[in-house]
Amino acid sequence: MKRESSNQTIRYVSLVVLMVQNAAQTLVMRYVRVRPGDMFVSTTAVVMSESVKLLTCLLIIFYEGGFSIVHWWRHLSENIFQQPLDCLKISVPAVVYMLQNNLLYVAASNLDAATYQVTYQLKILTTALLSVVMLRKELSRVQWLSLLLLFVGVALVQVNSEEGKRASPTGLEQSPVVGLVAVIVACLMSGFAGVYFEKLLKNTPQSVFVRNVQLGFIGAVFGLVTVAVKDGAKVKDQGFFFGYDFAVWSVILLMSVGGLVVAVVVKYADNILKGFATSGSIVLACIASVYFFDFRLSVEFCLGTVLVILSVFMYGKYVPVPKKAVVHA
């Protein structure tokens, strides 16, 4: 009874944390990209997010091993260092996730926080379609309908975006079209990496934390390559941590722990409750955008947001019931 009560507490606490984390990540990311002052290099922030995720998972594995360095090192050796082919497989989603995170900064620089938060739910559509193709998953008719509603809702939200380019408080030019393209490509990457990662988790013995160690390390390495190629001259001139402050470190922490919070939610909660957290984060982001970013709600935006929230609930609730195997006498 106590264990069930404890699991119930973890379930709802993790959902609240996920809801706040999703909304806060969107809002703080938007803030650090449009505020006046020294602008940090976003590619370096992606590297630091991957590094924090790596260190966090290493500490969790150390904790699970009873704080034994010998057990910790043996566990890493058996599951990572002695599995070079496996590391090659995990490098695919690692690089995709790293590129996706870079695109999210582009989106946050060009879209209002509320528009970004709602539009990014297209990852549900891309993940669903790729799950059908890559994992042979079945979707119910209601789930297919929910995906249609999601697409219509996101399309309505885009009507709310002001036509053409506009300037941010920093004076930097913004383009809703560039932001939208960045989000769509990021959603495609998120769907592919998520489905690929799920397939690896189901077919291999490594834990989700070992997998995140691999994702973090490989993502950080390829992230450094991206820094050198895209912003090498700027980093050499200004320094790797130029423009970093509490707000930037907050974004880095929020991005790095997001995947771990989702892992906890998946373990202790169902899709309906996860949908509630997603919907709550959308509402929080919209309300906060009105107060902090002078965001103006329109009829199209409100209707589109309602359709997106409805589609999230429908997709999580009406999951096909697994077919029972027929036993022949």
Side-chain angles (χ1 to χ4, degrees):
M1 193 73 178
K2 281 186 177 181
R3 186 174 181 179
E4 187 177 327
S5 176
S6 176
N7 287 346
Q8 193 86 339
T9 302
I10 294 173
R11 177 184 305 167
Y12 289 110
V13 168
S14 62
L15 283 169
V16 172
V17 171
L18 179 62
M19 180 172 66
V20 174
Q21 183 269 335
N22 277 346
Q25 178 181 316
T26 300
L27 294 165
V28 181
M29 185 183 287
R30 173 64 178 173
Y31 168 71
V32 297
R33 296 309 290 174
V34 300
R35 64 179 176 169
D38 295 331
M39 178 62 69
F40 68 101
V41 179
S42 60
T43 51
T44 65
V46 172
V47 172
M48 293 312 301
S49 292
E50 296 294 339
S51 301
V52 171
K53 178 170 67 177
L54 168 63
L55 291 173
T56 302
C57 290
L58 284 173
L59 288 174
I60 291 173
I61 294 171
F62 186 50
Y63 166 77
E64 289 182 336
F67 298 105
S68 168
I69 294 179
V70 174
H71 182 277
W72 176 76
W73 182 256
R74 186 189 303 123
H75 187 73
L76 293 177
S77 179
E78 291 174 354
N79 289 280
I80 299 178
F81 305 138
Q82 296 176 21
Q83 306 285 340
L85 183 60
D86 184 71
C87 289
L88 190 62
K89 291 179 181 178
I90 199 71
S91 65
V92 175
V95 173
V96 174
Y97 276 133
M98 181 274 298
L99 293 173
Q100 172 208 326
N101 288 335
N102 277 288
L103 283 172
L104 293 182
Y105 277 104
V106 175
S109 302
N110 290 280
L111 293 175
D112 294 300
T115 304
Y116 166 92
Q117 181 76 348
V118 176
T119 308
Y120 192 45
Q121 300 314 311
L122 276 176
K123 63 185 178 181
I124 298 174
L125 173 62
T126 58
T127 303
L129 295 177
L130 288 168
S131 293
V132 171
V133 175
M134 295 172 63
L135 299 178
R136 304 299 180 191
K137 279 191 175 181
E138 290 187 8
L139 301 181
S140 66
R141 291 181 180 178
V142 177
Q143 284 183 310
W144 283 111
L145 176 61
S146 72
L147 295 178
L148 177 61
L149 288 178
L150 175 65
F151 182 80
V152 173
V154 170
L156 283 172
V157 166
Q158 296 310 311
V159 175
N160 190 63
S161 298
E162 299 172 30
E163 289 91 0
K165 296 183 177 179
R166 51 204 170 121
S168 70
T170 60
L172 296 173
E173 202 173 58
Q174 296 179 102
S175 171
V177 174
V178 171
L180 176 60
V181 172
V183 170
I184 291 174
V185 177
C187 287
L188 288 168
M189 288 183 164
S190 175
F192 172 76
V195 173
Y196 188 103
F197 188 54
E198 181 183 344
K199 194 171 184 178
L200 274 181
L201 281 176
K202 287 182 176 179
N203 297 322
T204 53
Q206 284 82 0
S207 70
V208 67
F209 296 119
V210 168
R211 288 305 189 192
N212 273 284
V213 167
Q214 294 172 306
L215 288 175
F217 178 77
I218 297 169
V221 170
F222 279 94
L224 286 171
V225 174
T226 306
V227 172
V229 172
K230 184 175 181 291
D231 300 302
K234 190 184 295 184
V235 170
K236 186 177 180 180
D237 181 51
Q238 299 176 335
F240 192 89
F241 296 105
F242 177 80
Y244 275 54
D245 59 7
F246 178 77
V248 175
W249 281 109
S250 296
V251 175
I252 289 170
L253 290 172
L254 287 167
M255 289 190 74
S256 61
V257 302
L260 301 179
V261 175
V262 170
V264 174
V265 170
V266 168
K267 182 176 180 180
Y268 290 100
D270 56 25
N271 283 329
I272 300 174
L273 291 176
K274 186 181 174 185
F276 176 78
T278 302
S279 303
S281 67
I282 293 173
V283 174
L284 280 177
C286 291
I287 294 173
S289 293
V290 172
Y291 283 97
F292 296 114
F293 298 113
D294 196 27
F295 180 71
R296 296 178 183 179
L297 297 173
S298 68
V299 175
E300 294 88 354
F301 182 88
C302 292
L303 179 59
T305 302
V306 169
L307 286 178
V308 169
I309 292 174
L310 178 63
S311 70
V312 170
F313 273 111
M314 289 171 62
Y315 187 82
K317 182 174 176 60
Y318 295 97
V319 179
V321 179
K323 295 178 182 179
K324 294 182 178 179
V326 180
V327 179
H328 297 282

